[in-house]
Amino acid sequence: MFSEIEFNRIKRLPPYIFAQINDLKMKERHDGKDVIDFSMGNPDGDPPQEVVAKAVEVLQRPKTHRYSASKGIVRLREAICKWYERRYDVHLDYEREAISSIGSKDAYAHFMLATVDPGDLVIVPDPSYPIHTYGVVIAGGNVNRVKLSPDEDFFSNLHKAIREAIPKPKFVVVNFPNNPTTITVELDFYKELVALAKKERFYVVSDIAYADICFNGYKTPSIMQIEGAKDVAVETFTLSKSYNMAGWRTGFMVGNERLVGALAKIKSYYDYGVHTALQVAAIEALNNHDDDVELIRQTYEKRMKVLVESFNRAGWEMEEPKASMFVWAKIPEHFRHLGSFEFAKKLITEAQIAVSPGIGFGPYGDEYVRIAFIENEQRIRQAAQNVKDFFKREGVKTSSKINVNGKVALTE
């Protein structure tokens, strides 16, 4: 009798394609198949021991089991500001320009609820992390997808989108190092973006979740390094990747006082923040564990190099990214007609490896899959062998690139 009652917000959300991949992976495992999982950016390492110990210590204290503060306890907001000062020489006011969040996903989604009105336009790169698009949709706004590709100038695409947009965008979302494409930018990119935001009168939301996971000497810049950025921008970060604290749900937003204030106000209605013990542990991580972040970065760099080299040898051409914990791999031409979802399903059932279909990140991602560095080096090499055997069974003719004494050679 209630079937005619509509839930229009839910109807605007497509099926979560990654859940379908996970279901298929679990079915194969239930049937006894050893599926090697590269599908989710879920770190497999442990946080620094001192961080865990700090959380346990605080859990055992009296009076730490009451409600915490939705903005984050003062010492955590101070630690966030010190982190920016130490890494980027950026000075922030912990009272007005920094707020703790239940992961950066929470910060972004609640921020959009606080600031996007029905009919507002938000420009989002495509491909993009799904919440960057659907956080806007959930808030009732409209999304203009702007193609992000290694082969195209994003700024040219952005200028065109702004010029043609009706109404003019309220926000432009950027995420570098980008998930899923791994595309990176230099500081000049943000200088140009801040200038454009002031000229065209829009705000910028920057997500630097993978700021610490960089390779071959690359360093991630922050938009907050640009003079005047706090006039037009906020930036989010999470402890999930840098500190192996994905399940702890700890992140933050910094920047423009008005925008941070909007998030603070809506969060005061929605939550009381994460448990105090986790906030104190986050203080320990941010203040004292840069060396552990470097060790985690080195682990991902080793895995990245093994994955790229071994998959190239198997006949699946891909290049080393500058940053992030992924390879954004173009589907081999033999399978490209399938699209990324069907190809990902085929990889699970025929090669026993799980990856994320590019279509899940937007229409422009359908010729790619995302491969995460969340398995150890031995498992990565086994996955490459599985791919090689799969290609052979499928009759795939490949020209693979391998490194020979620092030079690139082709093998048939």
Side-chain angles (χ1 to χ4, degrees):
M1 75 185 274
F2 291 99
S3 59
E4 72 277 8
I5 298 175
E6 300 285 353
F7 305 125
N8 290 319
R9 185 171 286 111
I10 295 299
K11 287 176 67 176
R12 293 186 71 191
L13 301 177
Y16 202 56
I17 197 169
F18 306 116
Q20 297 176 54
I21 291 296
N22 187 65
D23 289 345
L24 181 57
K25 175 190 72 180
M26 296 310 296
K27 179 182 181 300
E28 289 292 300
R29 285 180 169 176
H30 185 266
D31 292 341
K33 303 289 181 61
D34 179 23
V35 179
I36 302 172
D37 189 7
F38 300 111
S39 60
M40 188 176 180
N42 191 7
D44 63 324
D46 295 326
Q49 291 183 358
E50 294 86 351
V51 173
V52 177
K54 179 61 69 174
V56 172
E57 174 195 328
V58 178
L59 276 170
Q60 294 173 337
R61 294 178 189 169
K63 298 183 180 180
T64 58
H65 305 289
R66 299 177 174 182
Y67 292 127
S68 190
S70 63
K71 286 179 62 176
I73 60 179
V74 170
R75 289 197 299 118
L76 176 53
R77 285 180 280 126
E78 289 177 335
I80 290 165
C81 295
K82 289 177 182 176
W83 185 89
Y84 261 91
E85 186 172 353
R86 189 170 68 250
R87 298 204 175 195
Y88 295 117
D89 195 26
V90 169
H91 302 278
L92 297 161
D93 184 325
Y94 72 87
E95 283 287 1
R96 300 178 298 110
E97 297 172 339
I99 181 171
S100 172
S101 60
I102 308 171
S104 58
K105 194 173 184 179
D106 160 74
Y108 181 87
H110 277 144
F111 175 77
M112 288 298 165
L113 278 174
T115 60
V116 172
D117 299 318
D120 282 346
L121 181 65
V122 179
I123 289 179
V124 178
D126 184 342
S128 69
Y129 186 53
I131 195 62
H132 291 157
T133 296
Y134 292 105
V136 178
V137 172
I138 291 168
N142 296 319
V143 175
N144 186 347
R145 300 173 182 268
V146 176
K147 188 175 183 180
L148 177 66
S149 166
D151 304 321
E152 296 186 24
D153 177 32
F154 177 70
F155 251 113
S156 296
N157 294 341
L158 179 60
H159 275 290
K160 184 174 185 293
I162 292 171
R163 188 168 60 247
E164 297 175 354
I166 300 175
K168 292 299 181 184
K170 194 172 195 176
F171 295 101
V172 170
V173 178
V174 291
N175 164 220
F176 299 106
N178 181 257
N179 176 15
T181 70
T182 78
I183 290 172
T184 58
V185 297
E186 302 295 341
L187 194 57
D188 283 349
F189 173 90
Y190 291 123
K191 185 176 182 180
E192 187 174 349
L193 184 59
V194 168
L196 183 62
K198 291 185 175 184
K199 177 184 176 183
E200 299 290 347
R201 299 183 64 78
F202 60 79
Y203 285 116
V204 177
V205 183
S206 169
D207 174 7
I208 56 168
Y210 297 90
D212 290 320
I213 313 301
C214 301
F215 311 129
N216 298 320
Y218 175 76
K219 299 294 183 184
T220 299
S222 163
I223 195 171
M224 292 298 144
Q225 293 173 270
I226 302 301
E227 184 177 355
K230 286 192 284 186
D231 296 335
V232 297
V234 287
E235 190 160 71
T236 60
F237 182 76
T238 175
L239 278 68
S240 295
K241 311 312 191 266
S242 301
Y243 301 90
N244 284 339
M245 294 170 67
W248 296 56
R249 309 315 304 131
T250 305
F252 53 79
M253 175 181 280
V254 303
N256 180 272
E257 176 183 355
R258 182 186 180 208
L259 301 184
V260 169
L263 177 59
K265 186 168 185 177
I266 201 167
K267 278 177 63 64
S268 71
Y269 283 88
Y270 272 101
D271 67 72
Y272 289 102
V274 298
H275 194 285
T276 298
L278 301 186
Q279 294 193 49
V280 175
I283 295 167
E284 169 69 21
L286 291 169
N287 283 346
N288 300 315
H289 291 278
D290 287 354
D291 289 346
D292 289 286
V293 171
E294 172 58 18
L295 292 175
I296 291 167
R297 187 205 66 78
Q298 289 176 14
T299 296
Y300 284 124
E301 183 161 31
K302 289 176 184 176
R303 291 178 178 184
M304 178 273 292
K305 289 183 177 295
V306 169
L307 192 148
V308 171
E309 181 181 3
S310 61
F311 274 55
N312 270 309
R313 285 183 178 275
W316 189 348
E317 293 187 17
M318 53 188 70
E319 296 181 358
E320 291 188 1
K322 287 185 178 180
S324 85
M325 56 187 290
F326 312 108
V327 165
W328 184 236
K330 197 158 193 176
I331 298 170
E333 188 173 357
H334 182 88
F335 302 101
R336 213 165 290 163
H337 68 283
L338 296 174
S340 60
F341 184 50
E342 292 301 322
F343 177 63
K345 288 164 61 177
K346 199 172 183 67
L347 282 179
I348 293 176
T349 58
E350 302 295 330
Q352 284 75 61
I353 68 170
V355 300
S356 292
I359 190 65
F361 303 97
Y364 291 122
D366 202 24
E367 291 189 347
Y368 293 81
V369 295
R370 193 193 69 177
I371 307 174
F373 311 139
I374 53 172
E375 294 275 8
N376 63 41
E377 294 167 33
Q378 180 180 346
R379 296 280 281 172
I380 291 170
R381 290 190 176 96
Q382 178 59 54
Q385 183 62 51
N386 290 3
V387 166
K388 184 177 181 178
D389 294 343
F390 166 55
F391 283 1
K392 186 176 181 180
R393 291 195 302 273
E394 291 284 324
V396 179
K397 293 184 178 180
T398 61
S399 295
S400 59
K401 295 186 293 185
I402 62 172
N403 285 318
V404 181
N405 298 325
K407 298 180 179 180
V408 173
L410 292 179
T411 64
E412 293 292 337

